[in-house]
Amino acid sequence: MTLPDMHSAEAIPQEARAEIDRLLSSGDLFRYTAASDAPVTLLEAEFADLMGSKFALAVSSCSAALFLSLKALALPRDARVLIPGFTFAAVPSAVLHADCLPVLCEVGDNYRIDMDDFAAKLPSVQAVIVSHMRGHTSDMDAIKELCDAAGVPLIEDAAHSLGTTWNGAKIGTLGRIGCFSFQSYKMINAGEGGIMITDDADLVARAIIMSGAYEHNWKKHPVLQTAFATHQNQWPLYNLRMSNLSAAVIRPQLPHLARRVEDGRRNHDFVADLLDQSAHIHVPAPLAGEVRAPDSIQFNLVDVTDAQVATFVETAAANGVKVQVFGASTDNARAFWNWQFIPDLPELPKTRQMLMRACDVRLPVHLPTDTLKAIADVLLAAVADATEQRAA
Ligand SMILES: *Cc1c(COP(=O)(O)O)cnc(C)c1O
């Protein structure tokens, strides 16, 4: 069968059109023009409600949300921020952008933070960003406990984890701040966009001002009047606001989230069960307590050479399935050694070893079962082909 474009997205719900048409007719695209009920304001209220958080601030991207989170924590210049060695390049970039220094922590072959390395490095940092990379959740109980004991603020990069839960709690609500992405390859697609959530009124007041609520525009964030008074004119304006058009695209997708999460999990587990039949493929299990919300699958090639990895990727691609091995290209933005913009970039042997064998395949949540089966068949045939060549 012909496999679909794995970057194809679900259609934006029909309800978005009337609202976008209204915005186009009125030209009311800036979030702070309307006296009340601007689409961005409504999105913030709806998202905070969905997550059970007190406050939400919608911005231009998850990277912007991470940057503003660090700025709103009012860390000193050159503060050290612990991040996983397996994340997207935007994360160390946001740290540097916020005048802080990224400290990289080892990640194990189950894609989760190595807790020994985390505990060893925690005393040297002033903040932590945990990236739930591709939705994989590290041991959040241990991380929270260590951060709380050390008095170090915890930011969750939940860009790709919307809908995941940890012991029943929503990912993104466990730390002081949670940040999410609405970029097209995430669970809710606005092309671009991000949002941060927190229960800390003072912190969100600073973030709102810095996101570009200049003059008294913060008065349109209804719940925060007392927190703001002391912050007026005290913070730079970075102008990272969200447009009403983006909010109009996002809002009608929120009611579809639970269904997308369920479909994504079922699809992932279906493909994982098939792939696990190969002795050369291992799909790491979730940690106890984690209920995933995947729109992709990651697995490790086991007992193979670099040449066999390359053959596997080529054979799968020739049969219509694009596999990325995180560490096997010169430009992958999730391989830490490609973050050459970091001063004194360290070596992380464990993380490197994982990245050289860890494969990434998108599984858009709307794929039907026969397509998922066909994808698994291509991957299984490709790994058989690649490993038989070794025997020959
Ligand atoms: C997508 C992603 C980001 C960046 O999100 P943007 O909205 O594109 O800035 C950051 N971290 C992780 C883990 C991601 O998956």
Side-chain angles (χ1 to χ4, degrees), residues 60-66 86-91 130-135 157-161 179-186 191-195 334:
S60 52
S61 68
C62 182
S63 303
L66 291 168
F86 176 42
T87 184
F88 185 51
V91 176
V130 168
S131 269
H132 304 297
M133 192 51 182
R134 289 289 188 274
D157 167 16
H160 213 155
S161 252
C179 301
F180 299 86
S181 175
F182 300 124
Q183 188 267 344
S184 288
Y185 304 159
K186 314 297 163 105
E192 304 286 356
I195 198 161
R334 298 150 203 92

PDB file of all heavy atoms in Angstrom, residues 60-66 86-91 130-135 157-161 179-186 191-195 334, ligand 1:
ATOM      1  N   SER A  60       4.073  33.247  21.300  1.00  0.00           N
ATOM      2  CA  SER A  60       4.326  32.942  19.891  1.00  0.00           C
ATOM      3  C   SER A  60       4.875  31.533  19.665  1.00  0.00           C
ATOM      4  O   SER A  60       4.804  31.024  18.551  1.00  0.00           O
ATOM      5  CB  SER A  60       5.293  33.976  19.320  1.00  0.00           C
ATOM      6  OG  SER A  60       6.446  34.084  20.141  1.00  0.00           O
ATOM      7  N   SER A  61       5.448  30.900  20.694  1.00  0.00           N
ATOM      8  CA  SER A  61       5.981  29.543  20.547  1.00  0.00           C
ATOM      9  C   SER A  61       6.260  28.973  21.933  1.00  0.00           C
ATOM     10  O   SER A  61       6.275  29.713  22.928  1.00  0.00           O
ATOM     11  CB  SER A  61       7.291  29.541  19.734  1.00  0.00           C
ATOM     12  OG  SER A  61       8.321  30.180  20.457  1.00  0.00           O
ATOM     13  N   CYS A  62       6.524  27.684  21.990  1.00  0.00           N
ATOM     14  CA  CYS A  62       6.952  27.091  23.262  1.00  0.00           C
ATOM     15  C   CYS A  62       8.336  27.620  23.629  1.00  0.00           C
ATOM     16  O   CYS A  62       8.631  27.827  24.808  1.00  0.00           O
ATOM     17  CB  CYS A  62       6.965  25.573  23.156  1.00  0.00           C
ATOM     18  SG  CYS A  62       7.436  24.772  24.707  1.00  0.00           S
ATOM     19  N   SER A  63       9.177  27.846  22.629  1.00  0.00           N
ATOM     20  CA  SER A  63      10.509  28.406  22.914  1.00  0.00           C
ATOM     21  C   SER A  63      10.376  29.757  23.599  1.00  0.00           C
ATOM     22  O   SER A  63      11.116  30.057  24.549  1.00  0.00           O
ATOM     23  CB  SER A  63      11.302  28.575  21.620  1.00  0.00           C
ATOM     24  OG  SER A  63      11.413  27.342  20.953  1.00  0.00           O
ATOM     25  N   ALA A  64       9.437  30.573  23.132  1.00  0.00           N
ATOM     26  CA  ALA A  64       9.193  31.876  23.756  1.00  0.00           C
ATOM     27  C   ALA A  64       8.700  31.688  25.190  1.00  0.00           C
ATOM     28  O   ALA A  64       9.093  32.428  26.101  1.00  0.00           O
ATOM     29  CB  ALA A  64       8.168  32.669  22.938  1.00  0.00           C
ATOM     30  N   ALA A  65       7.856  30.675  25.395  1.00  0.00           N
ATOM     31  CA  ALA A  65       7.340  30.405  26.747  1.00  0.00           C
ATOM     32  C   ALA A  65       8.475  29.993  27.683  1.00  0.00           C
ATOM     33  O   ALA A  65       8.531  30.424  28.841  1.00  0.00           O
ATOM     34  CB  ALA A  65       6.267  29.316  26.684  1.00  0.00           C
ATOM     35  N   LEU A  66       9.403  29.165  27.187  1.00  0.00           N
ATOM     36  CA  LEU A  66      10.549  28.744  28.008  1.00  0.00           C
ATOM     37  C   LEU A  66      11.436  29.936  28.343  1.00  0.00           C
ATOM     38  O   LEU A  66      11.876  30.116  29.479  1.00  0.00           O
ATOM     39  CB  LEU A  66      11.359  27.666  27.269  1.00  0.00           C
ATOM     40  CG  LEU A  66      10.668  26.309  27.104  1.00  0.00           C
ATOM     41  CD1 LEU A  66      11.426  25.438  26.104  1.00  0.00           C
ATOM     42  CD2 LEU A  66      10.544  25.603  28.447  1.00  0.00           C
ATOM     43  N   PHE A  86      19.115  15.088  25.976  1.00  0.00           N
ATOM     44  CA  PHE A  86      18.250  14.705  24.853  1.00  0.00           C
ATOM     45  C   PHE A  86      17.049  15.632  24.872  1.00  0.00           C
ATOM     46  O   PHE A  86      16.134  15.480  25.680  1.00  0.00           O
ATOM     47  CB  PHE A  86      17.798  13.252  25.003  1.00  0.00           C
ATOM     48  CG  PHE A  86      16.825  12.768  23.962  1.00  0.00           C
ATOM     49  CD1 PHE A  86      16.973  13.093  22.615  1.00  0.00           C
ATOM     50  CD2 PHE A  86      15.749  11.958  24.312  1.00  0.00           C
ATOM     51  CE1 PHE A  86      16.076  12.636  21.655  1.00  0.00           C
ATOM     52  CE2 PHE A  86      14.849  11.481  23.367  1.00  0.00           C
ATOM     53  CZ  PHE A  86      15.015  11.821  22.034  1.00  0.00           C
ATOM     54  N   THR A  87      17.090  16.635  24.011  1.00  0.00           N
ATOM     55  CA  THR A  87      15.964  17.540  23.855  1.00  0.00           C
ATOM     56  C   THR A  87      16.119  18.213  22.505  1.00  0.00           C
ATOM     57  O   THR A  87      17.009  17.851  21.715  1.00  0.00           O
ATOM     58  CB  THR A  87      15.859  18.561  25.015  1.00  0.00           C
ATOM     59  OG1 THR A  87      14.677  19.355  24.835  1.00  0.00           O
ATOM     60  CG2 THR A  87      17.069  19.482  25.085  1.00  0.00           C
ATOM     61  N   PHE A  88      15.249  19.148  22.206  1.00  0.00           N
ATOM     62  CA  PHE A  88      15.299  19.870  20.942  1.00  0.00           C
ATOM     63  C   PHE A  88      16.213  21.085  21.127  1.00  0.00           C
ATOM     64  O   PHE A  88      16.237  21.685  22.213  1.00  0.00           O
ATOM     65  CB  PHE A  88      13.867  20.293  20.574  1.00  0.00           C
ATOM     66  CG  PHE A  88      13.725  20.957  19.235  1.00  0.00           C
ATOM     67  CD1 PHE A  88      14.255  20.382  18.086  1.00  0.00           C
ATOM     68  CD2 PHE A  88      13.033  22.152  19.122  1.00  0.00           C
ATOM     69  CE1 PHE A  88      14.095  20.996  16.845  1.00  0.00           C
ATOM     70  CE2 PHE A  88      12.873  22.765  17.885  1.00  0.00           C
ATOM     71  CZ  PHE A  88      13.394  22.190  16.749  1.00  0.00           C
ATOM     72  N   ALA A  89      16.958  21.441  20.096  1.00  0.00           N
ATOM     73  CA  ALA A  89      17.943  22.531  20.182  1.00  0.00           C
ATOM     74  C   ALA A  89      17.329  23.848  20.675  1.00  0.00           C
ATOM     75  O   ALA A  89      18.039  24.707  21.210  1.00  0.00           O
ATOM     76  CB  ALA A  89      18.589  22.750  18.816  1.00  0.00           C
ATOM     77  N   ALA A  90      16.015  23.995  20.521  1.00  0.00           N
ATOM     78  CA  ALA A  90      15.351  25.224  20.977  1.00  0.00           C
ATOM     79  C   ALA A  90      15.463  25.395  22.494  1.00  0.00           C
ATOM     80  O   ALA A  90      15.380  26.522  22.991  1.00  0.00           O
ATOM     81  CB  ALA A  90      13.884  25.205  20.561  1.00  0.00           C
ATOM     82  N   VAL A  91      15.674  24.290  23.220  1.00  0.00           N
ATOM     83  CA  VAL A  91      15.697  24.374  24.687  1.00  0.00           C
ATOM     84  C   VAL A  91      17.003  25.013  25.187  1.00  0.00           C
ATOM     85  O   VAL A  91      16.955  26.029  25.880  1.00  0.00           O
ATOM     86  CB  VAL A  91      15.391  23.009  25.320  1.00  0.00           C
ATOM     87  CG1 VAL A  91      15.509  23.072  26.835  1.00  0.00           C
ATOM     88  CG2 VAL A  91      13.983  22.554  24.917  1.00  0.00           C
ATOM     89  N   VAL A 130      12.895  20.430  32.613  1.00  0.00           N
ATOM     90  CA  VAL A 130      12.738  19.032  32.214  1.00  0.00           C
ATOM     91  C   VAL A 130      11.993  19.013  30.889  1.00  0.00           C
ATOM     92  O   VAL A 130      10.878  19.509  30.792  1.00  0.00           O
ATOM     93  CB  VAL A 130      11.943  18.238  33.274  1.00  0.00           C
ATOM     94  CG1 VAL A 130      11.528  16.889  32.723  1.00  0.00           C
ATOM     95  CG2 VAL A 130      12.791  18.048  34.517  1.00  0.00           C
ATOM     96  N   SER A 131      12.629  18.472  29.853  1.00  0.00           N
ATOM     97  CA  SER A 131      11.951  18.292  28.570  1.00  0.00           C
ATOM     98  C   SER A 131      11.348  16.904  28.547  1.00  0.00           C
ATOM     99  O   SER A 131      12.069  15.918  28.647  1.00  0.00           O
ATOM    100  CB  SER A 131      12.956  18.396  27.416  1.00  0.00           C
ATOM    101  OG  SER A 131      13.056  19.692  26.954  1.00  0.00           O
ATOM    102  N   HIS A 132      10.046  16.841  28.412  1.00  0.00           N
ATOM    103  CA  HIS A 132       9.392  15.529  28.252  1.00  0.00           C
ATOM    104  C   HIS A 132       9.514  15.179  26.773  1.00  0.00           C
ATOM    105  O   HIS A 132       8.569  15.315  26.000  1.00  0.00           O
ATOM    106  CB  HIS A 132       7.937  15.602  28.687  1.00  0.00           C
ATOM    107  CG  HIS A 132       7.762  16.099  30.093  1.00  0.00           C
ATOM    108  ND1 HIS A 132       8.248  15.414  31.178  1.00  0.00           N
ATOM    109  CD2 HIS A 132       7.172  17.212  30.591  1.00  0.00           C
ATOM    110  CE1 HIS A 132       7.944  16.071  32.292  1.00  0.00           C
ATOM    111  NE2 HIS A 132       7.295  17.167  31.958  1.00  0.00           N
ATOM    112  N   MET A 133      10.710  14.761  26.392  1.00  0.00           N
ATOM    113  CA  MET A 133      11.059  14.650  24.983  1.00  0.00           C
ATOM    114  C   MET A 133      10.201  13.606  24.275  1.00  0.00           C
ATOM    115  O   MET A 133      10.103  12.465  24.736  1.00  0.00           O
ATOM    116  CB  MET A 133      12.545  14.302  24.928  1.00  0.00           C
ATOM    117  CG  MET A 133      13.165  14.420  23.568  1.00  0.00           C
ATOM    118  SD  MET A 133      12.838  16.003  22.785  1.00  0.00           S
ATOM    119  CE  MET A 133      13.667  15.701  21.234  1.00  0.00           C
ATOM    120  N   ARG A 134       9.577  14.001  23.172  1.00  0.00           N
ATOM    121  CA  ARG A 134       8.651  13.141  22.429  1.00  0.00           C
ATOM    122  C   ARG A 134       7.577  12.570  23.368  1.00  0.00           C
ATOM    123  O   ARG A 134       7.042  11.487  23.135  1.00  0.00           O
ATOM    124  CB  ARG A 134       9.372  11.973  21.739  1.00  0.00           C
ATOM    125  CG  ARG A 134      10.229  12.390  20.544  1.00  0.00           C
ATOM    126  CD  ARG A 134       9.344  12.807  19.375  1.00  0.00           C
ATOM    127  NE  ARG A 134      10.095  13.031  18.150  1.00  0.00           N
ATOM    128  CZ  ARG A 134      10.691  14.167  17.814  1.00  0.00           C
ATOM    129  NH1 ARG A 134      10.661  15.210  18.619  1.00  0.00           N
ATOM    130  NH2 ARG A 134      11.319  14.275  16.664  1.00  0.00           N
ATOM    131  N   GLY A 135       7.308  13.287  24.446  1.00  0.00           N
ATOM    132  CA  GLY A 135       6.272  12.855  25.372  1.00  0.00           C
ATOM    133  C   GLY A 135       6.757  11.861  26.419  1.00  0.00           C
ATOM    134  O   GLY A 135       5.977  11.454  27.272  1.00  0.00           O
ATOM    135  N   ASP A 157       9.155  21.555  30.177  1.00  0.00           N
ATOM    136  CA  ASP A 157       9.001  21.720  28.732  1.00  0.00           C
ATOM    137  C   ASP A 157       8.092  20.584  28.273  1.00  0.00           C
ATOM    138  O   ASP A 157       8.555  19.480  27.997  1.00  0.00           O
ATOM    139  CB  ASP A 157      10.369  21.665  28.042  1.00  0.00           C
ATOM    140  CG  ASP A 157      10.246  21.503  26.532  1.00  0.00           C
ATOM    141  OD1 ASP A 157       9.144  21.738  26.000  1.00  0.00           O
ATOM    142  OD2 ASP A 157      11.259  21.130  25.901  1.00  0.00           O
ATOM    143  N   ALA A 158       6.795  20.886  28.241  1.00  0.00           N
ATOM    144  CA  ALA A 158       5.800  19.881  27.853  1.00  0.00           C
ATOM    145  C   ALA A 158       5.338  20.135  26.416  1.00  0.00           C
ATOM    146  O   ALA A 158       4.219  19.784  26.044  1.00  0.00           O
ATOM    147  CB  ALA A 158       4.621  19.915  28.828  1.00  0.00           C
ATOM    148  N   ALA A 159       6.236  20.731  25.613  1.00  0.00           N
ATOM    149  CA  ALA A 159       5.910  21.085  24.219  1.00  0.00           C
ATOM    150  C   ALA A 159       5.205  19.947  23.504  1.00  0.00           C
ATOM    151  O   ALA A 159       4.245  20.151  22.768  1.00  0.00           O
ATOM    152  CB  ALA A 159       7.189  21.459  23.468  1.00  0.00           C
ATOM    153  N   HIS A 160       5.724  18.736  23.739  1.00  0.00           N
ATOM    154  CA  HIS A 160       5.255  17.587  22.969  1.00  0.00           C
ATOM    155  C   HIS A 160       4.536  16.591  23.875  1.00  0.00           C
ATOM    156  O   HIS A 160       4.492  15.399  23.584  1.00  0.00           O
ATOM    157  CB  HIS A 160       6.480  16.919  22.305  1.00  0.00           C
ATOM    158  CG  HIS A 160       6.184  16.319  20.976  1.00  0.00           C
ATOM    159  ND1 HIS A 160       7.130  16.134  20.003  1.00  0.00           N
ATOM    160  CD2 HIS A 160       5.025  15.865  20.450  1.00  0.00           C
ATOM    161  CE1 HIS A 160       6.567  15.567  18.948  1.00  0.00           C
ATOM    162  NE2 HIS A 160       5.291  15.392  19.198  1.00  0.00           N
ATOM    163  N   SER A 161       4.025  17.076  24.994  1.00  0.00           N
ATOM    164  CA  SER A 161       3.480  16.170  26.009  1.00  0.00           C
ATOM    165  C   SER A 161       2.068  16.520  26.427  1.00  0.00           C
ATOM    166  O   SER A 161       1.603  16.026  27.452  1.00  0.00           O
ATOM    167  CB  SER A 161       4.377  16.193  27.246  1.00  0.00           C
ATOM    168  OG  SER A 161       5.083  15.003  27.355  1.00  0.00           O
ATOM    169  N   CYS A 179       5.224  24.556  29.957  1.00  0.00           N
ATOM    170  CA  CYS A 179       5.205  25.216  28.643  1.00  0.00           C
ATOM    171  C   CYS A 179       4.813  24.218  27.557  1.00  0.00           C
ATOM    172  O   CYS A 179       5.302  23.090  27.556  1.00  0.00           O
ATOM    173  CB  CYS A 179       6.587  25.782  28.322  1.00  0.00           C
ATOM    174  SG  CYS A 179       7.176  26.981  29.533  1.00  0.00           S
ATOM    175  N   PHE A 180       3.954  24.653  26.647  1.00  0.00           N
ATOM    176  CA  PHE A 180       3.430  23.791  25.584  1.00  0.00           C
ATOM    177  C   PHE A 180       3.597  24.470  24.227  1.00  0.00           C
ATOM    178  O   PHE A 180       3.661  25.694  24.144  1.00  0.00           O
ATOM    179  CB  PHE A 180       1.937  23.514  25.808  1.00  0.00           C
ATOM    180  CG  PHE A 180       1.635  22.806  27.094  1.00  0.00           C
ATOM    181  CD1 PHE A 180       1.460  23.530  28.269  1.00  0.00           C
ATOM    182  CD2 PHE A 180       1.532  21.422  27.146  1.00  0.00           C
ATOM    183  CE1 PHE A 180       1.187  22.890  29.468  1.00  0.00           C
ATOM    184  CE2 PHE A 180       1.261  20.771  28.344  1.00  0.00           C
ATOM    185  CZ  PHE A 180       1.083  21.503  29.506  1.00  0.00           C
ATOM    186  N   SER A 181       3.592  23.638  23.183  1.00  0.00           N
ATOM    187  CA  SER A 181       3.737  24.151  21.811  1.00  0.00           C
ATOM    188  C   SER A 181       2.484  23.862  20.994  1.00  0.00           C
ATOM    189  O   SER A 181       1.869  22.795  21.142  1.00  0.00           O
ATOM    190  CB  SER A 181       4.934  23.483  21.137  1.00  0.00           C
ATOM    191  OG  SER A 181       5.027  23.879  19.780  1.00  0.00           O
ATOM    192  N   PHE A 182       2.146  24.798  20.097  1.00  0.00           N
ATOM    193  CA  PHE A 182       1.082  24.569  19.115  1.00  0.00           C
ATOM    194  C   PHE A 182       1.649  24.513  17.703  1.00  0.00           C
ATOM    195  O   PHE A 182       0.952  24.765  16.724  1.00  0.00           O
ATOM    196  CB  PHE A 182       0.013  25.674  19.210  1.00  0.00           C
ATOM    197  CG  PHE A 182      -0.662  25.753  20.560  1.00  0.00           C
ATOM    198  CD1 PHE A 182      -0.649  26.942  21.281  1.00  0.00           C
ATOM    199  CD2 PHE A 182      -1.317  24.664  21.099  1.00  0.00           C
ATOM    200  CE1 PHE A 182      -1.281  27.041  22.524  1.00  0.00           C
ATOM    201  CE2 PHE A 182      -1.948  24.748  22.343  1.00  0.00           C
ATOM    202  CZ  PHE A 182      -1.928  25.935  23.055  1.00  0.00           C
ATOM    203  N   GLN A 183       2.961  24.212  17.597  1.00  0.00           N
ATOM    204  CA  GLN A 183       3.577  24.040  16.282  1.00  0.00           C
ATOM    205  C   GLN A 183       2.912  22.834  15.608  1.00  0.00           C
ATOM    206  O   GLN A 183       2.345  21.965  16.283  1.00  0.00           O
ATOM    207  CB  GLN A 183       5.092  23.845  16.488  1.00  0.00           C
ATOM    208  CG  GLN A 183       5.921  23.836  15.219  1.00  0.00           C
ATOM    209  CD  GLN A 183       6.119  22.439  14.684  1.00  0.00           C
ATOM    210  OE1 GLN A 183       5.891  21.459  15.390  1.00  0.00           O
ATOM    211  NE2 GLN A 183       6.517  22.339  13.433  1.00  0.00           N
ATOM    212  N   SER A 184       2.976  22.765  14.299  1.00  0.00           N
ATOM    213  CA  SER A 184       2.162  21.793  13.548  1.00  0.00           C
ATOM    214  C   SER A 184       2.418  20.338  13.891  1.00  0.00           C
ATOM    215  O   SER A 184       1.556  19.497  13.653  1.00  0.00           O
ATOM    216  CB  SER A 184       2.374  21.981  12.050  1.00  0.00           C
ATOM    217  OG  SER A 184       1.756  23.158  11.621  1.00  0.00           O
ATOM    218  N   TYR A 185       3.603  19.985  14.417  1.00  0.00           N
ATOM    219  CA  TYR A 185       3.863  18.571  14.669  1.00  0.00           C
ATOM    220  C   TYR A 185       3.493  18.168  16.089  1.00  0.00           C
ATOM    221  O   TYR A 185       3.847  17.085  16.540  1.00  0.00           O
ATOM    222  CB  TYR A 185       5.340  18.228  14.400  1.00  0.00           C
ATOM    223  CG  TYR A 185       5.820  18.591  13.012  1.00  0.00           C
ATOM    224  CD1 TYR A 185       7.170  18.766  12.747  1.00  0.00           C
ATOM    225  CD2 TYR A 185       4.915  18.759  11.973  1.00  0.00           C
ATOM    226  CE1 TYR A 185       7.609  19.106  11.475  1.00  0.00           C
ATOM    227  CE2 TYR A 185       5.348  19.098  10.705  1.00  0.00           C
ATOM    228  CZ  TYR A 185       6.700  19.274  10.455  1.00  0.00           C
ATOM    229  OH  TYR A 185       7.129  19.607   9.206  1.00  0.00           O
ATOM    230  N   LYS A 186       2.772  19.037  16.801  1.00  0.00           N
ATOM    231  CA  LYS A 186       2.359  18.725  18.171  1.00  0.00           C
ATOM    232  C   LYS A 186       0.862  18.376  18.167  1.00  0.00           C
ATOM    233  O   LYS A 186       0.206  18.435  17.143  1.00  0.00           O
ATOM    234  CB  LYS A 186       2.663  19.894  19.101  1.00  0.00           C
ATOM    235  CG  LYS A 186       4.068  20.483  18.905  1.00  0.00           C
ATOM    236  CD  LYS A 186       5.185  19.490  19.230  1.00  0.00           C
ATOM    237  CE  LYS A 186       6.510  19.931  18.641  1.00  0.00           C
ATOM    238  NZ  LYS A 186       7.458  20.461  19.557  1.00  0.00           N
ATOM    239  N   GLY A 191       0.223  25.879  13.421  1.00  0.00           N
ATOM    240  CA  GLY A 191       1.401  26.280  12.653  1.00  0.00           C
ATOM    241  C   GLY A 191       2.508  26.686  13.616  1.00  0.00           C
ATOM    242  O   GLY A 191       3.551  26.060  13.668  1.00  0.00           O
ATOM    243  N   GLU A 192       2.229  27.732  14.387  1.00  0.00           N
ATOM    244  CA  GLU A 192       3.134  28.203  15.433  1.00  0.00           C
ATOM    245  C   GLU A 192       2.297  28.615  16.633  1.00  0.00           C
ATOM    246  O   GLU A 192       1.128  28.948  16.489  1.00  0.00           O
ATOM    247  CB  GLU A 192       3.932  29.436  14.978  1.00  0.00           C
ATOM    248  CG  GLU A 192       4.734  29.276  13.705  1.00  0.00           C
ATOM    249  CD  GLU A 192       5.992  28.441  13.849  1.00  0.00           C
ATOM    250  OE1 GLU A 192       6.309  28.016  14.984  1.00  0.00           O
ATOM    251  OE2 GLU A 192       6.643  28.196  12.820  1.00  0.00           O
ATOM    252  N   GLY A 193       2.929  28.646  17.785  1.00  0.00           N
ATOM    253  CA  GLY A 193       2.245  29.135  18.983  1.00  0.00           C
ATOM    254  C   GLY A 193       2.712  28.378  20.205  1.00  0.00           C
ATOM    255  O   GLY A 193       3.261  27.279  20.101  1.00  0.00           O
ATOM    256  N   GLY A 194       2.525  28.975  21.365  1.00  0.00           N
ATOM    257  CA  GLY A 194       2.897  28.325  22.611  1.00  0.00           C
ATOM    258  C   GLY A 194       2.062  28.884  23.747  1.00  0.00           C
ATOM    259  O   GLY A 194       1.353  29.891  23.583  1.00  0.00           O
ATOM    260  N   ILE A 195       2.152  28.203  24.879  1.00  0.00           N
ATOM    261  CA  ILE A 195       1.396  28.687  26.044  1.00  0.00           C
ATOM    262  C   ILE A 195       2.128  28.232  27.301  1.00  0.00           C
ATOM    263  O   ILE A 195       2.750  27.161  27.302  1.00  0.00           O
ATOM    264  CB  ILE A 195      -0.071  28.183  25.998  1.00  0.00           C
ATOM    265  CG1 ILE A 195      -0.978  29.014  26.911  1.00  0.00           C
ATOM    266  CG2 ILE A 195      -0.169  26.694  26.340  1.00  0.00           C
ATOM    267  CD1 ILE A 195      -2.468  28.881  26.575  1.00  0.00           C
ATOM    268  N   ARG A 334      18.296  17.330  17.633  1.00  0.00           N
ATOM    269  CA  ARG A 334      18.133  16.682  18.938  1.00  0.00           C
ATOM    270  C   ARG A 334      19.391  15.930  19.369  1.00  0.00           C
ATOM    271  O   ARG A 334      19.368  15.209  20.356  1.00  0.00           O
ATOM    272  CB  ARG A 334      16.918  15.748  18.902  1.00  0.00           C
ATOM    273  CG  ARG A 334      15.638  16.520  18.629  1.00  0.00           C
ATOM    274  CD  ARG A 334      14.603  15.687  17.886  1.00  0.00           C
ATOM    275  NE  ARG A 334      13.680  16.566  17.179  1.00  0.00           N
ATOM    276  CZ  ARG A 334      13.835  16.968  15.930  1.00  0.00           C
ATOM    277  NH1 ARG A 334      14.879  16.549  15.213  1.00  0.00           N
ATOM    278  NH2 ARG A 334      12.976  17.794  15.381  1.00  0.00           N
TER     279      ARG A 334
HETATM  280  C1  LIG B   1       8.578  21.315  19.621  1.00  0.00           C
HETATM  281  C2  LIG B   1       9.382  21.345  20.834  1.00  0.00           C
HETATM  282  C3  LIG B   1       9.900  22.556  21.337  1.00  0.00           C
HETATM  283  C4  LIG B   1       9.775  23.858  20.607  1.00  0.00           C
HETATM  284  O1  LIG B   1       8.449  24.287  20.417  1.00  0.00           O
HETATM  285  P1  LIG B   1       8.179  25.582  19.526  1.00  0.00           P
HETATM  286  O2  LIG B   1       6.755  25.928  19.778  1.00  0.00           O
HETATM  287  O3  LIG B   1       8.430  25.184  18.089  1.00  0.00           O
HETATM  288  O4  LIG B   1       9.122  26.646  19.966  1.00  0.00           O
HETATM  289  C5  LIG B   1      10.586  22.514  22.531  1.00  0.00           C
HETATM  290  N1  LIG B   1      10.766  21.371  23.216  1.00  0.00           N
HETATM  291  C6  LIG B   1      10.296  20.187  22.761  1.00  0.00           C
HETATM  292  C7  LIG B   1      10.497  18.938  23.585  1.00  0.00           C
HETATM  293  C8  LIG B   1       9.599  20.134  21.554  1.00  0.00           C
HETATM  294  O5  LIG B   1       9.129  18.954  21.131  1.00  0.00           O
END
